[in-house]
């Protein structure tokens, strides 16, 4: 959520930022929030004045009774005042709840370096790395080769669950396991502490990270008001919900491997062929908690780390700076990394790395100060960041298509060979 002082002190800047995000209903929520906040402040002033007057009258009644004086009239007027105070308290509570609901519908503001845009077509390609392999007659798309070799079984997944739930077999399953170990080991070497987290999140956790209410339609809700995690960002970021961290220990960096679950409503056509877009997929996620002044440096560092993984896997990729309209609800600045799919002759997103600034931390009530909870001094909301390193399905698709030979065998990148025990998938 946004800092309330921003809404009051810089309303036009907030409005411009919200408008630039082009999120349906966000401007209307901001209008309603501004009105409710103004009404709440006026009501609070009236309520506090009447509460103070009631307290004074109560004290005066006690004094009159001790002196044997007549307090009946004051008692009568204080009864009327108390009834009015009760009504104001109920209205104040109702307004506070409305403000809390509306606050959740207002997105984070974009950083000044983010390009203003109206759609994904306004994203900026910052650079490309590697040599994209050209398509050829002998090059098979990943879904064809992996099915032929018995590495991927989309039909079995559809029988077990529904379309978009892949089954990896044999060398395909070994490749998934190798990528998990390789990604986690590389992140651990870079200072990210590995954690194993729940695959279910409660409503409070999903709200704290901003998936709710914004992305509820894309999430799988199960019993007991729990949700399957769409990304381990939800679980990992909530590790410090409600805590005061020691500022001297920042940044805190975590990585986690989990399956991720997304309904992906509205996807169709070639976007959903093979591993292009699935409902369950594996991903290694990075999450960082930083001091506010360090978060944009951390954004660059995390993005460069994800890029290093792609380079080591021998994949051509490009970095995109996402425009305001394609950035998302919680992000202040976001990079996307896309790999080249030779058989499809197009770029596929495999990583998003985002600075969320203090937007999640305010929902999380996660702050920092020297000495932590027992320290002294002013507390400050931390900044949170998250990024994929990497999402498996399209990474696997690009690997299979980039490194296959004319015989349909796939050369294993040198960094993966120790994890697979071979330099070639046959």
């Amino acid at each position: 959520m946004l800092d309330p002082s921003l809404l009051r002190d810089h309303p036009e800047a907030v409005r411009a930022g919200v408008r630039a995000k082009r999120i349906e209903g966000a401007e209307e929520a901001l209008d309603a929030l501004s009105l409710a906040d103004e009404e709440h402040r006026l009501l609070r002033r009236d309520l506090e004045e009447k509460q103070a007057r009631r307290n004074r009258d109560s004290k005066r009644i006690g004094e009159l009774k001790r002196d044997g004086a007549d307090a009946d009239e004051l008692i009568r007027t204080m009864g009327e005042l108390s009834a009015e105070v009760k009504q104001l308290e109920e209205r104040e509570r109702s307004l506070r709840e409305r403000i809390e609901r509306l606050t959740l519908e207002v997105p984070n503001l974009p950083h000044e370096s983010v390009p203003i845009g109206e759609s994904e077509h306004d994203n900026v390609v910052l650079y490309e790395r590697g040599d994209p392999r050209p398509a050829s007659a002998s090059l098979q798309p990943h879904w064809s080769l992996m099915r032929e070799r018995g590495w991927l079984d989309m039909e079995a997944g559809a029988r077990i669950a529904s379309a978009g739930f892949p089954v990896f077999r044999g060398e395909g399953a070994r490749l998934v396991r190798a990528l998990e170990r390789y990604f986690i080991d590389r992140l651990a070497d870079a200072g990210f502490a590995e954690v194993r987290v729940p695959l279910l999140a409660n409503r409070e956790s999903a709200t704290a990270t901003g998936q709710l209410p914004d992305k509820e339609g894309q999430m799988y809700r199960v019993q007991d008001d729990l949700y399957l995690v769409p990304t381990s960002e939800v679980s990992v970021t909530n590790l410090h919900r409600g805590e005061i961290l020691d500022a001297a220990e920042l940044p805190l960096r975590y990585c986690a491997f989990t399956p991720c679950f997304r309904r992906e409503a509205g996807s169709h056509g070639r976007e959903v062929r093979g591993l292009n877009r699935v409902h369950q997929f594996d991903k290694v996620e990075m999450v960082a908690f930083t001091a506010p002044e360090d978060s944009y440096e951390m954004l660059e560092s995390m993005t460069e780390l994800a890029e290093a993984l792609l380079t080591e896997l021998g994949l051509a990729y490009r970095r995109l700076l996402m425009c305001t309209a394609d950035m998302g609800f919680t992000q202040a600045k976001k990079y996307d990394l896309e790999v080249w799919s030779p058989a499809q002759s197009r770029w596929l997103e495999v990583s998003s790395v985002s600075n969320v600034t203090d937007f999640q931390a305010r929902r999380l009530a996660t702050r920092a100060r020297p000495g932590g909870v027992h320290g002294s001094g002013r507390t400050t909301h931390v900044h949170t960041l998250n990024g994929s390193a990497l999402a498996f399905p399209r990474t696997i698709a690009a690997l299979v298509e980039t490194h296959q030979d004319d015989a349909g065998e796939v050369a294993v990148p040198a960094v993966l060979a120790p994890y697979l025990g071979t330099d070639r998938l046959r």
Side-chain angles (χ1 to χ4, degrees):
M1 64 179 65
L2 296 179
D3 183 346
S5 65
L6 279 176
L7 299 170
R8 296 164 186 164
D9 300 339
H10 306 283
E12 292 309 313
V14 171
R15 178 168 301 282
V18 169
R19 182 181 299 118
K21 280 291 190 83
R22 293 188 175 273
I23 293 173
E24 184 177 357
E27 284 195 77
E28 292 79 1
L30 179 61
D31 289 338
L33 176 60
S34 299
L35 289 173
D37 182 63
E38 179 64 21
E39 182 180 354
H40 180 258
R41 282 189 289 161
L42 292 174
L43 187 146
R44 280 294 310 172
R45 188 182 310 157
D46 189 25
L47 175 60
E48 288 170 1
E49 290 175 356
K50 286 181 167 59
Q51 287 172 330
R53 185 174 135 205
R54 182 185 61 182
N55 292 338
R56 289 194 301 270
D57 287 353
S58 178
K59 182 179 179 181
R60 178 58 180 158
I61 288 171
E63 292 172 349
L64 289 172
K65 287 184 175 181
R66 283 195 301 273
D67 295 341
D70 183 7
D72 290 348
E73 180 62 20
L74 191 55
I75 291 173
R76 184 186 64 77
T77 57
M78 196 185 79
E80 295 173 352
L81 179 62
S82 295
E84 188 175 353
V85 166
K86 184 178 180 180
Q87 289 180 340
L88 288 173
E89 287 173 339
E90 291 175 352
R91 177 58 181 160
E92 191 273 337
R93 183 166 50 252
S94 176
L95 268 175
R96 187 164 12 99
E97 291 172 354
R98 175 169 170 76
I99 288 171
E100 290 173 357
R101 289 194 303 271
L102 290 169
T103 298
L104 298 179
E105 298 176 18
V106 177
N108 199 2
L109 304 180
H111 187 259
E112 60 186 11
S113 63
V114 174
I116 303 297
E118 297 183 3
S119 72
E120 62 183 13
H121 302 295
D122 296 313
N123 297 331
V124 178
V125 178
L126 298 179
Y127 52 75
E128 296 181 10
R129 297 286 187 270
D131 299 315
R133 177 179 177 174
S136 66
S138 62
L139 185 61
Q140 296 187 62
H142 71 275
W143 59 81
S144 175
L145 178 64
M146 295 184 75
R147 180 180 182 182
E148 175 185 294
R149 295 299 170 104
W151 302 344
L152 177 65
D153 192 340
M154 300 299 293
E155 291 77 11
R159 287 195 304 273
I160 295 167
S162 68
F165 288 84
V167 171
F168 292 94
R169 298 178 181 270
E171 297 292 86
R174 292 180 62 218
L175 178 58
V176 170
R177 178 156 43 94
L179 286 171
E180 175 193 351
R181 294 172 59 200
Y182 161 61
F183 289 157
I184 290 292
D185 285 351
R186 280 288 280 110
L187 293 181
D189 290 343
F192 286 77
E194 181 182 2
V195 290
R196 292 279 172 166
V197 292
L199 302 183
L200 293 171
N202 57 34
R203 181 171 290 275
E204 291 77 12
S205 294
T207 300
T209 51
Q211 272 67 31
L212 296 180
D214 179 56
K215 291 290 187 295
E216 184 159 13
Q218 294 294 327
M219 298 174 70
Y220 285 101
R221 183 178 177 183
V222 297
Q223 291 182 329
D224 302 320
D225 203 23
L226 295 172
Y227 295 82
L228 292 170
V229 294
T231 164
S232 57
E233 169 203 342
V234 177
S235 301
V236 179
T237 308
N238 275 277
L239 287 174
H240 295 297
R241 175 152 52 100
E243 294 185 9
I244 297 178
L245 307 174
D246 187 345
E249 295 180 356
L250 298 178
L252 298 178
R253 293 175 290 177
Y254 299 100
C255 62
F257 165 82
T258 66
C260 304
F261 305 87
R262 298 183 187 178
R263 294 182 60 219
E264 297 290 8
S267 299
H268 62 279
R270 70 173 185 163
E271 286 191 356
V272 301
R273 291 295 300 272
L275 296 173
N276 283 347
R277 191 175 294 274
V278 291
H279 298 305
Q280 177 181 329
F281 63 95
D282 296 317
K283 180 159 67 84
V284 172
E285 186 78 359
M286 304 177 284
V287 170
F289 299 79
T290 76
E293 63 270 20
D294 298 330
S295 63
Y296 283 98
E297 182 179 351
M298 179 63 73
L299 175 65
E300 299 299 325
S301 174
M302 289 169 62
T303 307
E304 290 166 5
L305 181 52
E307 289 177 336
L309 299 177
L310 293 170
T311 298
E312 292 167 11
L313 291 174
L315 301 176
Y317 71 89
R318 64 183 188 177
R319 185 198 285 205
L320 279 68
L321 174 58
M322 311 308 284
C323 74
T324 53
D326 200 33
M327 190 165 49
F329 187 85
T330 64
Q331 293 87 351
K333 186 174 183 177
K334 182 173 80 165
Y335 295 120
D336 271 9
L337 301 181
E338 297 181 338
V339 293
W340 177 248
S341 167
Q344 301 179 74
S345 297
R346 66 190 186 108
W347 297 96
L348 303 174
E349 178 200 331
V350 291
S351 177
S352 292
V353 188
S354 305
N355 187 356
V356 190
T357 61
D358 62 357
F359 190 79
Q360 289 176 330
R362 290 182 179 277
R363 295 187 181 206
L364 291 158
T366 302
R367 296 165 291 164
R369 71 179 171 203
V373 66
H374 300 298
S376 59
R378 179 174 172 267
T379 62
T380 304
H381 285 98
V382 299
H383 280 198
T384 60
L385 301 94
N386 60 79
S388 313
L390 301 159
F392 285 28
R394 295 171 187 167
T395 301
I396 292 173
L399 274 171
V400 168
E401 294 177 8
T402 298
H403 297 308
Q404 69 175 272
D405 60 20
D406 291 342
E409 295 184 0
V410 177
V412 174
V415 291
L416 277 185
Y419 296 96
L420 278 164
T422 182
D423 61 0
R424 187 162 290 273
L425 299 178
R426 297 176 172 87

